[in-house]
Amino acid sequence: MAAEDEDIEQTLHVARSISVYRIPPRPGAQGWRSGDWLVSDKLFQGRLRIVAKGELCEIRMEDVNR
């Protein structure tokens, strides 16, 4: 059995509700403001899970409706 198979998957953090938006081009030197983002530009809404297994770490965005 390889060492990778023996590593335990650990959940480091769970964010129950996240939203991912299409960010518009930067308006200038002041940068972005989330208040300028359109709700209609939402790409994803779901849960975020950070998982570690051995030396690897993954950020998973999960659809809670599936």
Side-chain angles (χ1 to χ4, degrees), residues 17-32:
S17 179
I18 65 161
S19 297
V20 178
Y21 292 89
R22 181 182 327 273
I23 299 174
R26 189 168 68 180
Q30 70 270 23
W32 292 276

Side-chain angles (χ1 to χ4, degrees), residues 3-9 16 21 25-26 31 42 47 50-51 55-56 58 66:
E4 305 91 43
D5 296 335
E6 296 175 7
D7 290 334
I8 297 172
E9 185 173 285
R16 295 182 187 269
Y21 292 89
R26 189 168 68 180
K42 187 183 295 186
R47 175 175 52 209
I50 300 174
V51 178
E55 293 184 11
L56 300 175
E58 294 180 348
R66 289 187 174 185

